[in-house]
Amino acid sequence: MVQLVGSLRKELADSLSSCKVLVVGAGGIGCELLKNVVLTGFKNIEVIDLDTIDVSNLNRQFLFQKKHVGKSKAQVAKESALQFCPSANITAYHDSIMNPDYNVEFFRKFVLVMNALDNRAARNHVNRMCLAADIPLIESGTAGYLGQVTVIKKGMTECYECQPKPTQKTFPGCTIRNTPSEPIHCIVWAKYLFNQLFGEEDADQEVSPDTADPEAAWNPEDTAARATASEKDGDIKRVSTKDWARSTGYDPVKLFNKLFKDDIMYLLTMDKLWKKRKAPTPLDWQQLENGANPQEDTPASGLKDQQVLGVWGHCQLFQHSVETLRSQLQEKGEGSELVWDKDDPPAMDFVTAAANLRMHIFSMNMKSRFDVKSMAGNIIPAIATTNAVIAGLIVLEGLKILSGELESCRTIFLNKCPNLRKKLLVPCILDPPSANCYVCASKPEVTVKLNVHKTMVLSLQDRILKERFGMVAPDVQIEDGKGTILISSEEGETEANNSKFLSDFGIRNGSRLQADDFLQDYTLLVNVLHTEELEHDVEFEVVGEAPDKAPPPQTNQEEVNSITNGNKDSAQPSTSSKARAAAADDDDDIMIVDSDEEEEEGAPSSSTAAPGASSGTKRKHSDVETGEASTKRPRTDQSSAAAAADDDDDDDIIALD
């Protein structure tokens, strides 16, 4: 007779009380997960989260209360969990899991790692650390009503990076600066502008008209005289935007006329841009003030954030937000910077006002503050019950692992609507590792196409190895027979190389670079493919991914619009081709992307399976993260009765709403 402790077998209950587990993330899923882990009988738990509690977390992260705002999520989650299970041994870290202190030896002390993360970089890192430590990892994510849980085990299943994530689309700089055609372009511009004026300046986030726009093909010397931008209010000059703003004392009216009048009039001198487009209409503060109608911006009924102000209303909002942000800068002292946060009212007001004024200039319908926040902060509405369901599934998969039943683990999708068998939860068999994975293959290797005469060593380090391939502290040597060290993770050793081009070190077409990340216990061989034919604004391409590996983007305009209102890409919790079909990115409600750079092209609810579709072909779903169709592998025909009986077959999955 099986002896039970509560609802668990005694052997399993004993295992739970003695094993040590790591929970990464204490947000939407993390709070629910820590509660479940403690109540299930786990006694030795470590939880890590870098974030602090914000008031916006309180509607769904139930371990936190108003008195906890501003405190460490991990520490408060620990204290709250101990209140209903004082016997648990919980260690909390208010830190980043990517800190070098949490090395492979740190991970090896755990029997199981459970992820509740919200960004691709951290997910990549934990994936690699668990592979290096040979520890099972349970990955998870939610987005609105959609969710997913999957299990990753070295040598048995696909890892998080086995399937290439669709390349995050970046907006060409000339589109943002010269020819915006969608509200998201104006919102990206406004976020760039915030950083240029109040935050950390980035040369890649310039907001002034782009005279190098290849489409303009104009001669500035011939037409500059037609630009009537006034010297006093800030003519187009190649000086720092922040320096110019400081010189005006952050005068809201001067800033307004520079950004929405002078710059726009300068754009109008680029004749060729407006031959097939509607030309923008400059705004003048004095004219708007003189013609302001007091009734125009009288608050309408309904929620304030969902009202769309008039042009003068946004002018006043711009003025007020600039004055507030100027005061914040002055309070912080000389040389200080502000960080844009969607939950900071003055910062959100500034982006709302600047974006809407630019939308009006370029003949687009203006948006409410709520809509702008959704796009700028990339928010998908948070559903607390989704987090709870996913957290419960994480623990159930964990119990399988601790019972020694890894082969029975599944990737499980939570759908918004029941499928044809009236199921909301759809399990799929885990896929084996990909032989071509550049992370978990026996000898990871990639080919990168770039221009060795234009790519600097710093770009190789930051843009390619760190940003694209997820390394934390790479060391790179050239396989040239001499073992030339190109990049060292030791501070100061190779900094002199940063501003040099790859060709300066003899790197050419066919060169091979060995990149090592000792923290991740990870080595990647990079084959260099020199080319001078990359598209404009494209620094490099990874050969073999887009377009032949990444699924084609959808083109339905309605879907594009719906995703533009908030769905952004950052990290995909899925590992398999099945998982990609229904993957939800974030740990609770946000699909994060640098919307300053990137745009989604689809919506979670894109396609519907035809009732009469052939059972011999897998249906396409819209990827929650990317909005792109993911095609299932064809399977052999079987009777409909057999298909109906097979609960684990991924043919269960229908298009998600």
Side-chain angles (χ1 to χ4, degrees), residues 198 250 252 255 317-326 350:
F198 308 106
Y250 283 100
L255 284 174
L317 185 63
F318 179 84
Q319 180 180 33
H320 177 71
S321 61
V322 168
E323 291 170 348
T324 305
L325 293 168
R326 177 181 62 193
F350 176 85

Side-chain angles (χ1 to χ4, degrees), residues 253-519:
V253 176
K254 290 185 177 181
L255 284 174
F256 181 96
N257 282 332
K258 157 72 165 65
L259 296 165
F260 304 116
K261 175 187 173 184
D262 299 341
D263 281 3
I264 302 305
M265 296 182 77
Y266 191 77
L267 278 175
L268 289 172
T269 67
M270 302 185 190
D271 300 343
K272 292 191 177 181
L273 288 178
W274 317 116
K275 286 186 175 180
K276 296 182 180 179
R277 294 184 181 92
K278 184 174 181 179
T281 305
L283 298 176
D284 180 87
W285 181 276
Q286 196 63 47
Q287 291 179 4
L288 290 167
E289 188 174 33
N290 293 339
N293 181 355
Q295 301 299 319
E296 176 189 357
D297 294 301
T298 302
S301 58
L303 296 175
K304 181 180 177 182
D305 272 11
Q306 295 186 5
Q307 297 167 5
V308 180
L309 301 178
V311 176
W312 181 242
H314 282 118
C315 293
Q316 294 175 305
L317 185 63
F318 179 84
Q319 180 180 33
H320 177 71
S321 61
V322 168
E323 291 170 348
T324 305
L325 293 168
R326 177 181 62 193
S327 299
Q328 290 181 358
L329 265 183
Q330 291 171 347
E331 289 172 7
K332 296 187 87 172
E334 185 68 27
S336 59
E337 296 172 344
L338 302 180
V339 178
W340 190 84
D341 185 341
K342 71 181 188 307
D343 295 316
D344 178 33
M348 194 61 241
D349 286 345
F350 176 85
V351 169
T352 300
N356 272 302
L357 289 167
R358 193 163 171 89
M359 288 179 215
H360 179 76
I361 286 168
F362 285 90
S363 304
M364 295 177 230
N365 292 329
M366 294 188 288
K367 298 286 184 180
S368 68
R369 189 178 188 276
F370 178 85
D371 287 337
V372 173
K373 185 174 182 179
S374 295
M375 288 186 260
N378 317 300
I379 299 171
I380 296 174
I383 309 295
T385 46
T386 308
N387 296 333
V389 171
I390 292 302
L393 291 171
I394 294 172
V395 173
L396 291 177
E397 294 303 303
L399 294 178
K400 294 179 188 177
I401 293 170
L402 294 174
S403 299
E405 300 173 0
L406 195 60
E407 67 284 349
S408 65
C409 290
R410 296 288 183 268
T411 292
I412 305 172
F413 301 115
L414 172 62
N415 293 347
K416 182 180 179 181
C417 298
N419 67 4
L420 296 176
R421 297 191 184 128
K422 299 183 179 180
K423 291 182 181 179
L424 283 175
L425 293 174
V426 181
C428 298
I429 296 173
L430 298 169
D431 284 340
S434 168
N436 298 321
C437 179
Y438 63 79
V439 174
C440 67
S442 57
K443 293 183 179 180
E445 186 171 339
V446 293
T447 298
V448 177
K449 185 189 295 186
L450 49 76
N451 189 326
V452 297
H453 304 298
K454 294 183 179 180
T455 303
M456 291 185 176
V457 172
L458 186 62
S459 292
L460 172 68
Q461 173 185 280
D462 292 347
R463 300 274 295 154
I464 300 178
L465 297 178
K466 288 185 176 180
E467 186 177 317
R468 177 61 187 82
F469 293 116
M471 291 186 165
V472 176
D475 291 89
V476 180
Q477 72 174 23
I478 307 170
E479 292 196 346
D480 55 1
K482 305 173 190 175
T484 303
I485 302 298
L486 189 65
I487 299 170
S488 173
S489 58
E490 295 295 328
E491 189 172 348
E493 278 194 7
T494 57
E495 283 184 8
N497 295 347
N498 287 349
S499 59
K500 296 180 180 178
F501 296 106
L502 298 186
S503 57
D504 295 338
F505 297 88
I507 297 173
R508 58 182 189 273
N509 188 52
S511 292
R512 290 158 68 89
L513 310 176
Q514 181 176 308
D516 295 286
D517 191 315
F518 295 105
L519 172 62

